[in-house]
Amino acid sequence: MAKIYAITNQKGGVGKTTTSVNLAASLAATKKRVLMVDMDPQGNATMGSGIDKNSQIATVYDVLVDELAPQQAMVFSPDAGYHVLPANGDLTAAEVQLLEVDGKERRLKRALDSIATEFDYILIDCPPSLNMLTVNALAACEGVIIPMQCEYYALEGLSALMGTINTIQQALNPNLKIEGILRTMYDPRMSLTGEVSAQLTEHFGDRVYRTCIPRNIRLAEAPSFGKPVLGYDRQSKGALAYLALAGEILRRNEQHEHADIADAAVLQG
């Protein structure tokens, strides 16, 4: 079954879409089967994956509102190496239309459950707000990856997000957990960066990824070419950082699987 992660932060401009696209590409580079779900009406993750958001016959809107089978909306990006469930401006209307349907919070979960055996990883790029689209993403995933900058206001935003996660745990998804906190646009030359980073590690421990994503011009340039940074400049610091992040996530999951197997063996005597 696929590992399903929502990449979210209610604060904008922290690198959610950059992380969704480049982590998907990095996992795909390790021969994993990856689906990236774009849940943002801006469709930036779709375009950044080399898919024209305006030319798609079916999108995630149709999956959510009309319960179209996700296989009929998925598109493979040969440049990125993974499948995309695309989004465009139509998704804005989904919020209003979903308000009147039964089980509106679990529409995405039902869709992804139907294809979970076809992928190793499913990454959901969330909009920078708490709305019905984000709620669907959090109800569908098992873990949340939180990109954040090491600055004062980011800590306030993280506090608000923790409250949201707790609410979703109680109401919709008791298995939801923080998979990891990713420090983005990281500049070790700034003293505030070190201070905030230390606070994160003190509070969240090993849930803070060791990998940090540096400020990197190649990461900023790649979307204008419709490519993940791996396809734009594979040797850039940004590309190497996301490859390192993918490796860290894979190692963590392998350790968890080995621990689960060991626990099961103990229970069986």
Side-chain angles (χ1 to χ4, degrees), residues 42-69:
Q42 295 181 82
N44 290 336
T46 299
M47 297 291 283
S49 302
I51 306 297
D52 182 0
K53 65 181 181 182
N54 297 312
S55 66
Q56 301 308 305
I57 297 173
T59 67
V60 71
Y61 167 87
D62 302 283
V63 174
L64 293 172
V65 175
D66 300 324
E67 295 193 287
L68 181 75

Side-chain angles (χ1 to χ4, degrees), residues 151-227:
E151 58 181 30
Y152 173 73
Y153 291 117
L155 289 175
E156 286 193 345
L158 181 59
S159 177
L161 180 58
M162 295 300 297
T164 297
I165 291 172
N166 288 334
T167 300
I168 297 296
Q169 283 175 328
Q170 295 170 21
L172 293 170
N173 185 357
N175 298 319
L176 182 63
K177 66 180 186 297
I178 295 177
E179 184 64 28
I181 295 174
L182 176 66
R183 292 162 290 179
T184 59
M185 305 176 199
Y186 192 83
D187 187 348
R189 297 171 299 177
M190 298 176 61
S191 59
L192 181 61
T193 296
E195 292 169 11
V196 173
S197 186
Q199 289 182 49
L200 285 173
T201 304
E202 180 181 351
H203 188 73
F204 292 100
D206 61 5
R207 284 185 291 181
V208 179
Y209 290 117
R210 293 181 180 179
T211 304
C212 298
I213 308 301
R215 289 188 179 276
N216 180 242
I217 189 63
R218 295 305 194 194
L219 282 174
E221 292 173 345
S224 64
F225 292 87
K227 295 179 179 181

Side-chain angles (χ1 to χ4, degrees), residues 1-136:
M1 298 290 286
K3 299 283 187 183
I4 304 177
Y5 300 143
I7 298 174
T8 187
N9 191 326
Q10 289 163 231
K11 188 178 186 300
V14 296
K16 289 186 301 298
T17 298
T18 297
T19 295
S20 299
V21 168
N22 290 296
L23 178 56
S26 296
L27 289 168
T30 69
K31 308 302 180 184
K32 298 298 182 183
R33 301 168 300 164
V34 180
L35 170 66
M36 199 275 297
V37 181
D38 192 349
M39 287 290 280
D40 190 337
Q42 295 181 82
N44 290 336
T46 299
M47 297 291 283
S49 302
I51 306 297
D52 182 0
K53 65 181 181 182
N54 297 312
S55 66
Q56 301 308 305
I57 297 173
T59 67
V60 71
Y61 167 87
D62 302 283
V63 174
L64 293 172
V65 175
D66 300 324
E67 295 193 287
L68 181 75
Q71 294 93 331
Q72 295 181 254
M74 291 188 314
V75 184
F76 182 73
S77 170
D79 288 335
Y82 55 82
H83 284 81
V84 178
L85 194 51
N88 55 31
D90 293 346
L91 193 54
T92 303
E95 282 192 77
V96 177
Q97 292 170 291
L98 284 175
L99 291 176
E100 301 179 356
V101 303
D102 292 332
K104 55 184 176 290
E105 302 93 346
R106 292 187 171 90
R107 283 291 180 101
L108 182 62
K109 175 176 172 53
R110 288 203 295 271
L112 297 185
D113 283 350
S114 71
I115 56 171
T117 58
E118 298 177 25
F119 297 97
D120 300 306
Y121 286 89
I122 298 176
L123 306 180
I124 308 171
D125 183 47
C126 298
S129 59
L130 178 59
N131 54 26
M132 188 52 62
L133 300 175
T134 304
V135 169
N136 261 268

